[in-house]
Amino acid sequence: MTNAIEQSRIPMRTLRGGERIPCLGLGTFGSDKYGSEEIAEAVYGAVKYGYRFIDCASVYQNENRIGRVLERLFSENAVERKALFITSKVWNDMHDRVLESCKKSLADLGLEYVDLYFVHWPFPNYHAPGCAGDSRNPDSRPFSAEEFMNTWRQCEELVDRGLVRYIGMSNMTIAKLEAVLPLCRIQPAALEMELHPSFQQPELFNYALEHDILPIGYCPIGSPSRPERDRTAEDVADGELSGVAEAARAHGVHPALICLKWAVQRGQVPIPFSVKPAQYEMNLRCITEDPLTDQEMEAIATEDRNCRLIKGQVFLWEGAGGWEDLWDPEGVIPG
């Protein structure tokens, strides 16, 4: 491994309340292609290199392996717990048992608390890990603000108990946020959402910032390793967008690194995934040097193709018109 990066070089973002966290994290979703041991070892190497933000989730089925690696890091005095910012998420089948889900994640991770706990998807529509893309659960149903708030109030209790420090939402829309934010006793500190040059979600991105909610971007380089169920012929490869490709040539780097530079300079927190040391080290290093010019940022801003890669079709309910119904077309929540 190359020499660890200096923490002072890593730009920071500010959560509501003033706490500062790293502007880039490490994702741990193996995308059905990488085993938990590989991912855990990547967490170990990434933290040793300088990562301090680790994005986890119960449904990734690797938190117990990551927990062993965290214990190893702590025992080696490689990092202190308080220096890490670790997230987890409640999966759709545990919306009515949030405390149980959180305690399981804490036990698996070997932690007394997580820093940020998300509601992974805004409805309890269960999709078993590894199921085919056309798999449907007959119990799936449309979004309900009442059901969501039942789950959110359980998340608020986690804060009260000291099991989590912040809570957040994920895979939301403006319409859904408008329905639930006025009902929240504890406002979300962050919103995890798909963000990359061909899918910039400017309205939702700006809405989050206006409400003091930090956007955390998944699929920041276009998720080239995403499962086959999430691929369609219409998908756009971010690295082939002219603005991204031209910037990559100008800076002499891989287009994926341009996507990360763009994300950080725009103001979101990207959470790229890689198990390869050369890749995850460069992912972090690239955002500490050689920034994009204003002109390059403007060029990439024009490349938005509204190309959602993680469509969520596995969560559709009977009678839904298509995956678009999950994302409130026309700004209206389907009934």
Side-chain angles (χ1 to χ4, degrees):
M1 185 181 75
T2 53
N3 292 332
I5 199 163
E6 295 178 8
Q7 290 299 306
S8 61
R9 294 177 57 193
I10 301 172
M12 306 294 279
R13 292 286 173 262
T14 304
L15 291 173
R16 65 168 64 244
E19 180 171 352
R20 290 167 62 76
I21 66 172
C23 71
L24 183 139
L26 182 76
T28 61
F29 173 48
S31 197
D32 301 345
K33 294 188 176 183
Y34 298 96
S36 57
E37 291 289 353
E38 287 178 281
I39 294 167
E41 280 304 306
V43 171
Y44 178 81
V47 172
K48 294 276 280 189
Y49 182 66
Y51 280 80
R52 295 295 181 263
F53 185 139
I54 310 297
D55 182 74
C56 304
S58 59
V59 76
Y60 301 163
Q61 298 182 298
N62 54 25
E63 288 187 326
N64 59 336
R65 300 289 185 179
I66 292 172
R68 295 178 194 175
V69 159
L70 293 175
E71 182 181 16
R72 182 174 155 203
L73 287 162
F74 298 149
S75 67
E76 294 174 355
N77 294 317
V79 67
E80 292 183 293
R81 168 64 185 98
K82 64 182 180 181
L84 295 178
F85 194 85
I86 299 174
T87 77
S88 188
K89 309 176 185 76
V90 59
W91 187 237
N92 304 6
D93 61 339
M94 297 293 284
H95 276 203
D96 58 349
R97 293 176 289 163
V98 176
L99 177 60
E100 179 184 341
S101 176
C102 182
K103 285 186 173 180
K104 176 67 163 55
S105 287
L106 289 173
D108 285 344
L109 292 166
L111 302 175
E112 295 183 355
Y113 66 91
V114 292
D115 298 278
L116 174 57
Y117 197 68
F118 288 101
V119 179
H120 205 150
W121 286 83
F123 27 65
N125 301 349
Y126 179 66
H127 177 258
C131 275
D134 58 357
S135 174
R136 297 288 182 272
N137 187 316
D139 296 328
S140 295
R141 50 191 182 270
F143 173 81
S144 160
E146 182 179 354
E147 283 190 332
F148 181 89
M149 287 307 302
N150 176 61
T151 301
W152 187 254
R153 290 188 183 101
Q154 295 173 68
C155 292
E156 292 174 330
E157 290 178 10
L158 298 179
V159 178
D160 296 339
R161 289 171 176 255
L163 299 177
V164 307
R165 299 176 59 235
Y166 298 96
I167 48 180
M169 300 177 184
S170 181
N171 295 303
M172 296 288 276
T173 64
I174 291 177
K176 290 182 177 68
L177 290 169
E178 293 268 287
V180 300
L181 288 184
L183 307 176
C184 296
R185 175 169 62 87
I186 299 176
Q187 292 293 308
L191 176 66
E192 199 157 296
M193 53 196 287
E194 182 180 335
L195 289 171
H196 45 95
S198 68
F199 191 62
Q200 300 182 23
Q201 300 209 71
E203 294 85 4
L204 181 58
F205 176 83
N206 289 327
Y207 183 94
L209 293 180
E210 289 165 3
H211 289 77
D212 200 15
I213 303 171
L214 180 66
I216 297 178
Y218 67 80
C219 297
I221 60 175
S223 192
S225 296
R226 67 189 180 279
E228 288 300 322
R229 66 175 177 268
D230 290 322
R231 297 174 183 267
T232 65
E234 297 77 27
D235 293 348
V236 175
D238 288 80
E240 297 175 5
L241 297 171
S242 61
V244 173
E246 289 172 10
R249 286 191 291 270
H251 291 260
V253 299
H254 193 282
L257 302 181
I258 298 300
C259 294
L260 296 179
K261 289 176 182 287
W262 168 81
V264 168
Q265 289 179 226
R266 187 189 188 212
Q268 62 225 40
V269 177
I271 45 173
F273 166 80
S274 178
V275 298
K276 300 174 182 177
Q279 290 182 350
Y280 62 67
E281 289 177 10
M282 181 55 77
N283 286 349
L284 184 59
R285 187 164 71 249
C286 85
I287 56 93
T288 70
E289 60 190 20
D290 192 24
L292 301 180
T293 66
D294 291 343
Q295 292 76 16
E296 288 166 337
M297 289 293 293
E298 291 168 5
I300 295 174
T302 68
E303 298 282 17
D304 193 359
R305 300 291 187 270
N306 196 31
C307 177
R308 186 185 295 277
L309 300 177
I310 308 304
K311 298 173 176 64
Q313 71 279 3
V314 293
F315 303 124
L316 285 172
W317 53 90
E318 185 176 352
W323 64 263
E324 293 86 354
D325 282 358
L326 296 162
W327 306 104
D328 306 337
E330 312 303 326
V332 177
I333 300 173

